[in-house]
Amino acid sequence: MKNIFFSLILLTAGVIQAQNNTSYWQQHVDYKMDVDVNVENFKFTGTQELTYTNNSPDTLNRVFYHLYFNAFQPGSEMNARLESIADPDGRMVRNEGTEEEPKRVSRISDLSEDQIGYLRVNSLTQDGTSLDYEEVGTVLEVELAQPILPGKKVKFNMEFEGQIPEQIRRSGRNSSEGVALSMSQWYPKLAEYDFQGWHADPYIAREFHGVWGDFDVKISIDKDYILGSTGYLQNPQEIGYNYEEEGTKVNRKKGDKLTWHFKAPKVHDFTWAADPDYIHDKLVAEDGTVLHFLYKDNEDIKENWKNLQPKTAELLLYFNEHIGPYPWDQYSVVQGGDGGMEYAMLTLITGERSFGSLVGVTAHEMAHAWFQHLMATNESKHEWMDEGFTSYISSEAENVILGENKENPHTGSYRGYQYLANSGREQPQSTHADRYELNALYGTSAYSKGAVFLAQLGYIIGEENLSKTLNRYYDEWKFKHPTPNDFIRIAEKVSGAELDWYLMDWTQTTNTIDYAIDDVEMKDTKATVTLKRNGLMPMPIDIDVTYADGSKKTYYIPLEMMRWEKEARDGEDRTVAEDWAWGFPTYELEIDAAKDIATIEIDSSKMMADVNPSDNVWNKDGESSEEEGEE
């Protein structure tokens, strides 16, 4: 196992100043689970031994478990949300109307008793003492026999059973591509407790937040089924299916079932998938990581999945360099689920895609191994940090690895954000992930606006500082739960700029950026450019001047509240003007007009997300207009 893994912090109370300006701490769990799966009726039984360490300064009198599978039942909150929201997830509904007049009905509402999902806890003890508990939808509320004091450990023992739902969202059986089992969010999972208290969110639609720990899991299943899973297989010589050491003999035990034994160190989730028709390929990446690929034996997709494998290795190396080293010894890309979803040490993706789409979904989900499974933000509260950062870095990676060579690989994210900002329906990014009025508003805010947060930060502090920020963010926050404040403090330390205003305006409000060239007055060899701030959100400003002879010059107007100046780009002819304080809505800039000026433009890079760029360009005929052909 990689040395870096064992050199990382122990998951006990730390001393880093973060989050709410108190000493950082996080809870710890160790799971041991034995599960027996019946592939005929899609039911399973299990035992769970959970050792919980209370690293908090608080005394805990109760705990909560997530029972995610209970969402897939008529009458659940997830079902109710599908029936009430104006734009339900298309994968989770069927249309009983027409394309012109759709009548969308939740697929969950159609599930019969043998198709629903459920998780039921049959017994639960704390250090041998039976506990009282109540199942409330997708959450188990547990009253403790004895309080858990700060710094103390307890052991919970549980017996549980479950039924795997028809594939509707993320988890399930018999997907549209024929994958038998996609086992994500499938076990009773202890909720996270942190400096903000318990996070026992009901499972309505969004993603998760989990406690860091070690998993030891045994899965007994029909011997014909091949698994891809979180963790390292402990008994490959008993299992085979290309997990065994190359050139060695497999010694399977007799019987109808095989027991797969996995161990996963320092993760906050455990997921697996299984199918009797999986092909299992392996590839060792340049850094030594073993990449596993499990996909259906389908002639229509085999070539794409073979070609995906070296691209996945390239993606791994790109993320290693531009974020930080991947610390585990393996990563698996597994066909299953619906679309794509990241889990610890693996992703489940749909596999019947074009090659470009297959690489794209792998790039995005693999990037989540860093921006969720290494820097594990709370996706209910800060979903944009995970989805947005992932969208940013995966677009950067695809641009290089697929040879797209786009000057700005984030134009799609900028378009999405600008549409959202001008729609009149935007909600702040600080909105809880379940509380968005529409799925489209959530998606655009989390993915597009989240990606623009990083890309635009590069405009504010410079690309080199942004790169250093991402690397230092990894160094300081891997295997922890960073918040938005933790990230922006890293950016401040790296750059030297004051950036609290950026985090606040961009994520906690719906303030927009809207600057304009209001007037240009020529006099002798000088020109006075009057700029106007029409939006409420402040920004430093680059003014790019192009002369009739083709030469260029940039004028940089620092934002006073940043208390800092961005460095000039290599080869840039730049003049630093006086600071612009936000309270003044206009600003006069004097520029050199000794040569004929062709155009004056606010931010020709288009990396500042101005919501009305039509007034950002002045042409020599005296008219302001948006450049044609810009995306």
Side-chain angles (χ1 to χ4, degrees), residues 69 270 320 420:
F69 272 7
F270 189 97
N320 281 348
L420 172 68

Side-chain angles (χ1 to χ4, degrees), residues 114 129 132 136 193 206 210-211 222 348 359 372 397 424 438 442 470 490 508 622:
D114 62 352
T129 302
D132 293 327
V136 182
Y193 182 85
R206 304 303 174 209
V211 192
D222 185 286
L348 300 182
V359 174
Q372 176 52 6
L438 298 172
Y442 162 83
L470 290 175
I490 296 292
Q508 299 173 28

Side-chain angles (χ1 to χ4, degrees), residues 258-275:
L258 289 175
T259 298
W260 299 62
H261 184 193
F262 296 96
K263 288 187 178 181
K266 290 187 174 63
V267 294
H268 58 83
D269 182 55
F270 189 97
T271 295
W272 57 282
D275 193 275

